[in-house]
Amino acid sequence: MVTELDVAPTAPSALAKLPLDALHRRLGARMAPFAGYEMPLQYEAGIVAETAHTRRAASLFDVSHMGQAILAGAGVARALETLASADLISLAPERTRYTQLLNETGGILDDLLVTRLPGVEERLLLVVNAARKQHDFALIAAALPRFDFNPLDRVLLALQGPRAAAVLGALLPGAEDLAFLGWRAFDFGGAPLFVSRSGYTGEDGFELSLRAEHAADLAHLLLAHEDVGPAGLGARDALRLEAGLPLYGHDLDETTDPVEAGLGWSIGKRRRIEGGFPGYARIRQGFELGPARMRVGLLPRSKAPLREGAALHALEDETVGHVTSGGFSPTLQRPIAMGYVAINHAKVGATLSATLRDKRIEVDVAALPFVAHRYFRTPVGKDAR
């Protein structure tokens, strides 16, 4: 199964290995280059089976290629707001917020997660995309020099699926009670294990950050559970596409702003009014007047999937957009895609066309997500932390 992941050939000597590289190979992983690392693309079961298992039970993904860092100092949340669009001042301890780093024209430099850590000192834990971490870290260090900025050398695992909470709760009592986008530090092997209820599959799940010397023990314990199987980048890409989640470098880039990307919800009311972040004029205009184009779901009327870069045309042959992600949905058993379409052609149900293998096919604009999100929602009356 082909995915939208950028796995262009890279010289093996130039690729970094994950701390759990030996484990992945013992599990039969097919390794592929991605963002400068040798990454497990799939295991023996294959992408379709791994995707189905994640939807049905729980899968363990190694996402240690992502960048992790702590930014600390009095007033650090307010300072980071000069680079990112989310309301970070109001972020409570042990809570996580999704946001974007923006350039001066409102384009997205990267999307990231920000967690306010507990304690007297003001500290933010950042998780950024692998392909952008060197850029992001250099930008933050240069723009906010009076704050302590410390990149972390930690393994990051993602346990995703409807059985994830039961599996992790049996190993770490209390983890199953975390609210969505909640965070807590647990003890594992005498060292801190950071647990957040988050992920990028559309399913309930957790992201687990810990020191490399303890990571194999944790992975073995999780994989020993009958409900947990290993999954690679191929399944992760299929799951996030089914969930309508954008991937940086494909659906998001420096020319794309959060409003047209469908991420306006991540910019809180205070930030929309006050601004104070790069590209605010463009983003305010997008909120007030509407964007010129929108990220939409696409359902090609074909058996073969559309690929990134394919032009989208109105029926009268005017070019009105392009595909940014496309592939075969194991869950829906059909091709799906996402792309940007001029606003007057972006209504759900509109019919466009694209060229696929030298043949013009019809494409229907569809609502996102293709597969409903199943994030954990805290029951009424329970502590949302």
Side-chain angles (χ1 to χ4, degrees), residues 235-253:
R236 182 176 169 89
D237 191 49
L239 289 158
R240 72 91 193 168
L241 180 55
E242 291 180 342
L245 301 175
L247 179 65
Y248 195 86
H250 297 265
D251 314 290
L252 306 176
D253 60 30

Side-chain angles (χ1 to χ4, degrees), residues 45 303 368:
K303 293 182 179 179
L368 294 173

Side-chain angles (χ1 to χ4, degrees), residues 75 128 278 295:
V128 305
R295 180 171 62 90

Side-chain angles (χ1 to χ4, degrees), residues 209-230:
S209 171
L210 73 168
R211 296 175 186 167
E213 59 265 31
H214 301 287
D217 290 340
L218 178 61
H220 282 298
L221 286 171
L222 293 171
L223 290 168
H225 196 286
E226 62 181 2
D227 287 334
V228 180

